[in-house]
Amino acid sequence: MKPLRWFRSLRTQLILIFMAISVVVLSGASYYFYAFMLGMVKDQNERFLFQQFQQLDHNIHALITDVDRLQKLFLQDDGMQELLLNLTEKSELEFLNYKNMMHDHITKFIDNYSYIHSIYVTAENQGAVGGSGGTTLVHSVEEWRKSFFESGAYRRSLERYPGIVVEGHMTKSYFNPYMTAENDGSLVSIMRGTRAIYDPRISATLIFNIDERYLASIYSASLDADDGEMFIADADGVVLSASRPERIGSRSPYMPEDDAAAPNYGSHDVYSGDQRVQIVYYKLQDTGWYMMKEIPLDVYSEQIYAVQRMIVLVFLLSLLVILIVSYFWLNKMIRPLRLLAGKMKDMSRGELGVTFREVPNNEFGTVIRRFNEMSISIVELIAKNNAMQEQKRELEIEALQYQINPHFLYNTLNSIRWMASIIKADNIVGTIVALGNILRPVFSSKDPMCSLRDELSYLEHYIKIINMRFNNNVRFDIEVSEPDLQCRVPRFILQPLVENSIASGRQVEDHVIQIVIRAESKDGEFVIRVADSGIGLEPERMEALNRRLAAGESHESSGGGSGIGLSNVNKRIRLYYGPQYGLHFEAKDKGAEVVVRLPASRT
């Protein structure tokens, strides 16, 4: 139970949440920094490789240009020109002296230019003639036609005349089938179609072969084996030259898109076998081949291991500092809450009126101040409640006492009515009955609302009593449809209006007072109009009355009274329904008309 209670502590939860957030933030920041450093190292390495590739491309271009120059120099020899001129006219036996002369010429060239492995001249009617200086080789026409004259390299050398073609798929055994596997190796062949100066026909193909290891030495001389491998691949992805000879003939793990709009330089992360590597490539200008470097991503990781160890150390130290600081800081921050929880427990045990003496000047201070106010208010409310309960008890006793008064009043009215009946005073009997009907809803119903039908019934009894006083000179007309009689209205709102109309009607010479009540429902409102045949209202007085009614003020009645009845009705309506409803006087040719505006509501 204790560990569970310890975990339920708000301080413990805040510390754990704060630590969890800190771990997530620091882990994310560390990973981002690690990825940033890795990307920065990769970008720096790519920029360095780009410069290195540019230099290597320049060196390879210089080599190819030099071989192109040597080929032209080789062809300018008088013996070579005579050989080219007689290729198609001499028999193989007659051509033997030319072959010996050409071998001497090749030997001199290879002795002077050591990077040239072998030189061959091919013709469709003579086969291949040439060698590697110490070795002379003559392929028969049939053998050479099978291996070379049907090849794409031969066709390209003729199509690009007088330009050169660089091919990288040749091997030493291709030119010398008698060579053993131990001495075999790859060659880079630079070919060109050629002819004699005065011969318009292309009569032969000149091939200068460069050992692939010489080409590899150009880019692998300063290469560290731990930093990755470099190789050259053709447009199909076949490796033509590599820092490791065993990779020649294999396929590159990645090749860029063969698109003219694609960049000539870039990098891509791929898997080479089971190892994740970065391939950085550069397109060579003369051949269309790609120089590539395959760099294991572990190389980059090793370069930033020191930074990674520093990040881990900073991460752990940061967690320790955050733990210590958060413990003491959160403990100080939670202390007012612990005290507040203790005070609330005291209140739950019945210790009312407890308060804090020290209030911090922060958000907790606001909560504690509200607690102090609430604690004091609870004591005050309990005292007020006790006083109200005492007052309620007294009122209940008083109400029980006052229940005697309505019964006494009804019994007295019944006694008077029977006495009037005995003496045949029917007018007194009718008046008492009407008065009883008026008083009954006052004492019996507690509902402040009633239907318009009940309100008009109440008015009829009131008019009956008034006509006893004014000798039946009050005429009461009701023009209300049956559905509108079901509308709910506040109880006793029409009697003050009718009373005001009677007071107004008495001021005219005509003793007959005409009162008309109309009602209609329209657009969600229920409008009752009470019109009389009195002296009416002057425009200024009507405007003043309407202004006071709109403001909720009292006013004098048109009959010279206090106007409390109209003001009371207006205030009751506004309290029930809002300031947009109430009483309003409207102009009329004769007499006055008061309009009661209510929301439409049917029982």
Side-chain angles (χ1 to χ4, degrees), residues 86 89-99 126:
N86 295 307
E89 298 177 356
K90 300 294 183 179
S91 64
E92 184 175 350
L93 182 61
E94 295 173 333
F95 198 66
L96 183 59
N97 291 330
Y98 290 106
K99 292 179 180 178
Q126 296 292 343

Side-chain angles (χ1 to χ4, degrees), residues 195-487:
R195 60 181 176 83
I197 296 176
Y198 301 107
D199 189 352
R201 296 170 301 168
I202 300 175
S203 55
T205 300
L206 177 62
I207 304 174
F208 273 43
N209 291 323
I210 300 174
D211 196 325
E212 180 274 331
R213 301 318 302 161
Y214 178 82
L215 179 63
S217 66
I218 296 177
Y219 58 81
S220 61
S222 59
L223 181 66
D224 188 353
D226 295 333
D227 291 340
E229 301 178 6
M230 290 186 70
F231 55 88
I232 296 176
D234 63 8
D236 296 327
V238 179
V239 178
L240 307 177
S241 174
S243 56
R244 287 193 303 117
E246 57 267 24
R247 290 203 62 172
I248 297 175
S250 64
R251 300 192 69 85
S252 171
Y254 170 77
M255 281 300 295
E257 296 182 1
D258 188 12
D259 188 358
N264 294 332
Y265 171 77
S267 66
H268 194 77
D269 293 348
V270 295
Y271 277 98
S272 179
D274 58 351
Q275 187 179 26
R276 185 77 171 173
V277 298
Q278 181 191 25
I279 301 292
V280 184
Y281 62 88
Y282 182 90
K283 191 173 185 179
L284 300 176
Q285 57 180 323
D286 291 324
T287 61
W289 299 341
Y290 287 91
M291 176 170 287
M292 297 185 172
K293 186 170 184 180
E294 184 179 287
I295 308 169
L297 292 183
D298 294 340
V299 174
Y300 297 123
S301 300
E302 293 174 359
Q303 296 178 11
I304 61 173
Y305 272 157
V307 178
Q308 191 177 21
R309 287 192 292 270
M310 182 184 68
I311 291 174
V312 173
L313 180 61
V314 172
F315 177 77
L316 295 177
L317 290 176
S318 300
L319 283 181
L320 180 61
V321 172
I322 289 173
L323 177 62
I324 296 173
V325 172
S326 62
Y327 177 80
F328 289 101
W329 178 68
L330 289 174
N331 189 43
K332 181 179 179 181
M333 185 181 69
I334 296 298
R335 182 174 177 275
L337 286 179
R338 294 205 312 270
L339 296 177
L340 180 61
K343 294 288 185 180
M344 295 181 73
K345 288 181 180 179
D346 294 339
M347 290 183 64
S348 66
R349 290 193 293 265
E351 299 180 14
L352 303 179
V354 293
T355 58
F356 287 88
R357 293 182 179 180
E358 297 181 1
V359 180
N361 190 22
N362 52 24
E363 287 78 3
F364 290 116
T366 302
V367 175
I368 290 174
R369 279 191 290 270
R370 299 291 87 80
F371 174 81
N372 289 342
E373 295 173 0
M374 179 190 69
S375 179
I376 296 172
S377 297
I378 288 175
V379 176
E380 295 176 351
L381 287 173
I382 290 176
K384 290 181 179 179
N385 185 61
N386 292 335
M388 290 175 62
Q389 291 296 328
E390 180 64 22
Q391 185 179 8
K392 180 180 179 182
R393 186 181 67 82
E394 295 175 356
L395 290 174
E396 288 177 352
I397 295 174
E398 184 178 356
L400 291 173
Q401 294 174 350
Y402 286 165
Q403 285 181 356
I404 302 172
N405 295 338
H407 294 285
F408 174 74
L409 181 58
Y410 288 138
N411 292 335
T412 302
L413 291 176
N414 284 330
S415 298
I416 295 173
R417 187 183 62 148
W418 284 111
M419 288 188 293
S421 297
I422 292 173
I423 63 173
K424 305 297 183 180
D426 295 336
N427 57 344
I428 297 176
V429 173
T431 302
I432 291 175
V433 172
L435 179 59
N437 291 332
I438 290 175
L439 293 177
R440 185 174 293 107
V442 175
F443 292 108
S444 63
S445 177
K446 297 181 180 180
D447 188 0
M449 307 296 290
C450 67
S451 66
L452 181 60
R453 185 190 303 277
D454 293 340
E455 184 72 2
L456 293 176
S457 176
Y458 170 81
L459 276 180
E460 289 177 352
H461 296 301
Y462 173 74
I463 294 298
K464 184 180 293 185
I465 295 175
I466 291 299
N467 276 327
M468 291 291 181
R469 177 182 175 186
F470 295 113
N471 195 21
N472 291 325
N473 287 331
V474 179
R475 296 181 182 176
F476 187 55
D477 294 333
I478 300 174
E479 300 177 3
V480 181
S481 63
E482 182 63 28
D484 290 336
L485 290 174
Q486 302 300 322
C487 289

